[in-house]
Amino acid sequence: MKIIDRYILKSHIGPFILAFITIVFVLVLQFLAGFSDRFLGKGINIADIAELVMLQSAWMVVFAVPMAVLVAVIMAYGTMTNASEMTVFRASGLSLYRLAVPVLIVAALLSLLVERFNNVVIPEANYRSKSLMMDIARAKPTFGLTENAFSSFIDGYSIFVRKTDEASKEIRGVVLYDLRNPKSRTMMSAERGVIRFSPDNRFLVMTLFNGEIHQIDQSDYHKYRAMRFGQHRLVFETTGFGFSRTSNDRIRGNISELSAGELHVAASALQRGIVSAERRAASITDAGPLQREQERIEADKMQYNKYLIEYYKKYAISVACFVFALAGIPLGVLARRGGFGVGAGISLALFVLYWSMIIGGEKIAERGLLDPVLSVWSANAVTGLFGLFLLHRMSGTVLRTSK
């Protein structure tokens, strides 16, 4: 039996490595394509670009490993079925359940490794990546802006610019949306502007010239204000600046920079704050202060849900290696022809469905419509049950090759 187990596992090594390298390569190219216009011709050191790509590739590994597992399993079992090897195994008295054991054991071990990577390497890589981007942005404040496109490099704002000038730090054709307050929308437009950091690098200062400010209440569109200005200055804390870095001991406030333990601590502290705020709100009688307190509570609840979503994702995405192996085994047998194209096609379809459930669940959980644990783990539950169902159906099926 050990010989068969080793043979089955060996048949997965080549497809797994090929799929993993291909997926990471495509993701790196996608990253470079999205940021190339910010890197090229900006005088940025090639070593800094290489370091940034390496740090960004950390999240790509977490994304690529489960999909590579799925591709490898479908290819390996499809090839064995097409070559009549699965028929020989079954004729020898080995069930599909038994033939799945070595792959599921290795997939479980991979899940453990990905979980450690997700909780140890990813937060540190995200922390250093944002720090490096801040170093670049300090020397070139317009680095985070893309010409003729909306950019969200400042948290809570969406900024559109027609033209940027690296030498003078000047931007032209500016449109800025303030998205921080869900109750109202503020839009600013200006002919030109200048972006600079304050001398102590604690603030990003954007000065706009010759423009307008439009503000409207989302609940009552009759409440509308419009103002013109010759000069208007906006000051942003660098903690809210999308590419944030100071020193190696700065506080990690971004969710992507926190491990599961840190996320749990932050969520628990926020939950205690919500309970205290609800008690205070119960004693407030004035309508105005009560409404403001309730708005703060709702904002805190949304942030609390985001912490929990990210917490459960640390583990759910890791377990995806196991559930993809569970679903991939019967899919590979059904596919029969185990070429890379077939394996990649089926894997892509299942992976898109899986991530659609993850993203959809996140959006629902953020609004408090579904418990975060259910929203995040539902994708694994559906995929795992789908795999068990197919495995049970295929375990009693007579396998035929299709040559």
Side-chain angles (χ1 to χ4, degrees):
M1 293 304 296
K2 291 183 178 179
I3 296 176
I4 295 177
D5 291 340
R6 286 198 298 269
Y7 175 78
I8 292 175
L9 292 176
K10 186 184 294 185
S11 65
H12 286 74
I13 296 175
F16 177 82
I17 294 174
L18 175 62
F20 179 78
I21 293 175
T22 301
I23 295 166
V24 172
F25 179 73
V26 169
L27 292 174
V28 169
L29 284 182
Q30 184 182 26
F31 171 76
L32 291 175
F35 281 83
S36 60
D37 57 335
R38 300 181 187 178
F39 293 142
L40 300 179
K42 302 296 178 68
I44 300 174
N45 193 311
I46 188 67
D48 291 334
I49 297 176
E51 182 183 356
L52 184 60
V53 172
M54 183 185 70
L55 292 171
Q56 285 289 321
S57 65
W59 69 265
M60 301 175 191
V61 170
V62 174
F63 185 88
V65 170
M67 191 169 183
V69 168
L70 185 58
V71 172
V73 170
I74 291 176
M75 286 180 62
Y77 278 87
T79 300
M80 287 189 292
T81 302
N82 191 50
S84 300
E85 292 173 341
M86 291 296 293
T87 303
V88 173
F89 292 150
R90 297 290 296 278
S92 302
L94 298 176
S95 66
L96 190 56
Y97 293 117
R98 177 60 186 83
L99 296 172
V101 169
V103 174
L104 293 179
I105 291 175
V106 173
L109 293 176
L110 267 179
S111 293
L112 292 175
L113 290 176
V114 172
E115 184 274 326
R116 287 290 81 201
F117 191 89
N118 225 352
N119 274 306
V120 177
V121 178
I122 291 293
E124 185 66 24
N126 288 339
Y127 175 82
R128 293 182 180 274
S129 174
K130 289 179 179 293
S131 298
L132 177 59
M133 282 182 149
M134 184 57 176
D135 278 350
I136 297 172
R138 279 177 181 166
K140 305 175 184 300
T142 58
F143 171 77
L145 295 174
T146 303
E147 292 182 353
N148 297 310
F150 280 96
S151 305
S152 56
F153 78 115
I154 298 176
D155 294 343
Y157 293 86
S158 183
I159 305 174
F160 178 93
V161 294
R162 291 286 184 190
K163 184 72 176 176
T164 62
D165 188 331
E166 289 292 332
S168 64
K169 310 295 189 295
E170 189 173 88
I171 52 179
R172 293 186 176 276
V174 185
V175 177
L176 184 146
Y177 286 92
D178 185 347
L179 308 175
R180 295 171 301 167
N181 187 358
K183 301 296 183 180
S184 66
R185 284 290 180 265
T186 302
M187 188 274 285
M188 305 178 196
S189 62
E191 292 181 5
R192 63 186 183 90
V194 177
I195 299 180
R196 298 183 187 278
F197 278 93
S198 61
D200 59 2
N201 288 319
R202 292 178 57 197
F203 301 97
L204 178 73
V205 181
M206 179 184 294
T207 306
L208 303 177
F209 301 94
N210 302 326
E212 298 178 347
I213 300 176
H214 301 266
Q215 189 176 55
I216 189 169
D217 192 313
Q218 293 289 85
S219 60
D220 185 359
Y221 293 136
H222 292 93
K223 296 179 180 179
Y224 169 77
R225 293 192 304 169
M227 295 167 280
R228 294 179 182 271
F229 61 84
Q231 179 177 325
H232 183 68
R233 178 173 293 179
L234 298 167
V235 180
F236 310 99
E237 290 187 10
T238 54
T239 53
F241 188 44
F243 304 126
S244 54
R245 178 188 189 181
T246 50
S247 61
N248 286 332
D249 59 352
R250 71 174 172 87
I251 297 175
R252 306 187 182 207
N254 193 291
I255 288 180
S256 64
E257 300 174 5
L258 303 178
S259 65
E262 292 166 336
L263 287 166
H264 188 267
V265 170
S268 299
L270 196 56
Q271 186 180 36
R272 290 192 294 271
I274 292 171
V275 172
S276 299
E278 288 177 338
R279 289 173 181 171
R280 288 196 304 270
S283 61
I284 298 175
T285 56
D286 294 339
L290 179 60
Q291 183 179 358
R292 288 192 293 271
E293 188 69 24
Q294 288 175 340
E295 288 176 357
R296 283 196 292 269
I297 291 172
E298 288 302 316
D300 286 345
K301 284 183 177 179
M302 184 172 290
Q303 186 63 33
Y304 171 74
N305 288 332
K306 288 181 180 179
Y307 279 134
L308 287 186
I309 289 168
E310 196 65 26
Y311 172 79
Y312 291 121
K313 276 177 65 179
K314 295 282 187 184
Y315 300 102
I317 293 176
S318 305
V319 176
C321 294
F322 182 82
V323 297
F324 280 167
L326 185 62
I329 292 169
L331 285 175
V333 174
L334 287 171
R336 288 184 171 85
R337 296 192 180 276
F340 184 78
V342 174
I346 297 176
S347 301
L348 181 62
L350 184 58
F351 207 64
V352 168
L353 179 62
Y354 176 86
W355 273 103
S356 297
M357 288 189 287
I358 287 281
I359 294 172
E362 282 184 37
K363 299 301 181 184
I364 294 173
E366 283 181 8
R367 293 173 173 81
L369 302 177
L370 184 65
D371 191 280
V373 67
L374 294 177
S375 66
V376 174
W377 282 97
S378 60
N380 280 336
V382 171
T383 306
L385 290 173
F386 173 71
L388 284 174
F389 171 75
L390 287 182
L391 194 64
H392 175 71
R393 291 293 300 269
M394 293 302 301
S395 63
T397 302
V398 177
L399 303 178
R400 298 183 178 87
T401 59
S402 55
K403 296 182 179 180

